[in-house]
């Protein structure tokens, strides 16, 4: 179907454009793409190649449908819906926060936008669970940052913001730092972060 060829063409065009990351995780010290950093550019590319992308939501699923405007063939990408309970926000604002996250993930997946490996940053690896933690390998400055990230994650979880907790954790990519971070979180928090990581993986 032409829709696959056109989507590939759109991806190649996007790869040749320099995009700036405006999102900033102040605790882990990394930047990431927010929706506004790439979506206007993608829409311009889609208009030129003859594609249209529409995001829709149900209670359980977020869906991005990409349609070829010539033959109406389609590609459908889905992602399970998460939840958020941001401090000081009412229900509609929390719904909007979740939908914004899901739109971002769907478009990143569709256009193969490359960021740091958030899955490795949150799910760990196959090392033995009881390996002794050598904090000296982290360094005092980074150790302080990891503790700040752990505090931010706990604050997010206290507000029932699992997506926000996942975003905070995703900035820790060093293996020793991840091990330290994981040791500072309870099992419920670790499970919630892994749940969000798995949801992102399933959407790709």
């Amino acid at each position: 179907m032409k829709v696959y060829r056109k989507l590939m063409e759109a991806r190649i065009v996007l790869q040749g454009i320099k995009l700036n990351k405006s999102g900033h995780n102040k605790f882990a010290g990394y930047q990431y793409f927010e929706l506004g950093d790439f979506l206007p550019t993608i829409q311009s590319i889609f208009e030129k190649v003859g594609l249209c992308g529409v995001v829709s939501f149900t209670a359980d699923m977020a869906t991005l449908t990409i349609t070829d405007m010539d033959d109406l063939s389609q590609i459908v990408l889905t992602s399970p819906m998460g939840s958020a309970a941001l401090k000081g926000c009412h229900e509609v604002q929390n719904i909007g926060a979740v939908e914004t996250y899901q739109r971002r993930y769907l478009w990143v997946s569709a256009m193969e936008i490359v960021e740091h490996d958030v899955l490795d940053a949150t799910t760990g690896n196959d090392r033995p669970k009881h390996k002794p933690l050598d904090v000296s390998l982290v360094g005092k400055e980074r150790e302080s940052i990891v503790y700040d990230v752990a505090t931010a994650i706990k604050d997010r979880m206290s507000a029932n913001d699992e997506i926000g907790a996942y975003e905070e954790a995703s900035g820790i990519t060093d293996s020793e730092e991840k091990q330290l971070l994981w040791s500072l979180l309870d099992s419920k928090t670790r499970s919630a972060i892994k749940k969000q990581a798995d949801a992102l993986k399933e959407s790709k």
Side-chain angles (χ1 to χ4, degrees):
M1 292 183 288
K2 287 184 179 180
V3 64
Y4 287 96
R5 178 181 59 79
K6 289 185 177 182
L7 178 58
M8 193 64 214
E9 180 182 349
R11 288 173 174 174
I12 297 301
V13 173
L14 185 65
Q15 287 177 14
I17 298 174
K18 180 176 176 56
L19 300 174
N20 295 316
K21 298 178 180 180
S22 64
H24 183 227
N25 185 310
K26 62 181 179 180
F27 294 106
Y30 76 97
Q31 292 183 305
Y32 58 90
F33 288 117
E34 295 202 358
L35 194 61
D37 296 332
F38 56 78
L39 188 55
T41 302
I42 292 174
Q43 300 288 28
S44 295
I45 295 171
F46 269 32
E47 194 276 332
K48 292 177 181 177
V49 301
L51 292 176
C52 178
V54 176
V55 177
S56 58
F57 304 96
T58 66
D60 301 316
M61 194 71 64
T63 302
L64 169 60
T65 303
I66 299 174
T67 303
D68 185 329
M69 298 305 292
D70 293 324
D71 64 10
L72 300 184
S73 56
Q74 295 181 329
I75 296 175
V76 178
L77 298 92
T78 60
S79 176
M81 291 292 285
S83 61
L86 306 180
K87 292 181 179 179
C89 295
H90 53 66
E91 183 179 359
V92 174
Q93 289 174 310
N94 284 318
I95 292 173
V98 173
E99 291 182 348
T100 297
Y101 275 117
Q102 296 290 51
R103 289 176 67 203
R104 175 177 175 269
Y105 291 145
L106 286 169
W107 280 110
V108 165
S109 178
M111 299 304 292
E112 298 289 355
I113 297 173
V114 179
E115 296 191 274
H116 65 282
D117 196 335
V118 293
L119 294 180
D120 283 350
T122 56
T123 59
N125 52 37
D126 294 329
R127 71 175 66 196
K129 292 183 179 179
H130 301 291
K131 179 180 177 180
L133 174 62
D134 186 353
V135 178
S136 66
L137 296 176
V138 175
K140 290 295 183 182
E141 182 177 351
R142 291 299 300 175
E143 180 184 350
S144 177
I145 290 175
V146 172
Y147 273 87
D148 286 342
V149 172
T151 299
I153 290 172
K154 292 173 184 178
D155 288 342
R156 295 281 194 173
M157 290 299 295
S158 295
N160 295 319
D161 180 11
E162 294 184 358
I163 295 178
Y166 166 78
E167 286 287 332
E168 298 288 354
S170 67
I172 302 299
T173 58
D174 176 80
S175 59
E176 297 297 336
E177 291 177 11
K178 285 188 290 184
Q179 190 179 2
L180 173 58
L181 177 63
W182 237 232
S183 73
L184 299 172
L185 304 175
D186 60 30
S187 59
K188 179 181 177 181
T189 300
R190 294 195 298 268
S191 295
I193 292 172
K194 187 166 188 307
K195 174 185 173 184
Q196 293 300 323
D198 290 341
L200 175 60
K201 185 176 181 181
E202 290 174 7
S203 72
K204 293 187 175 182

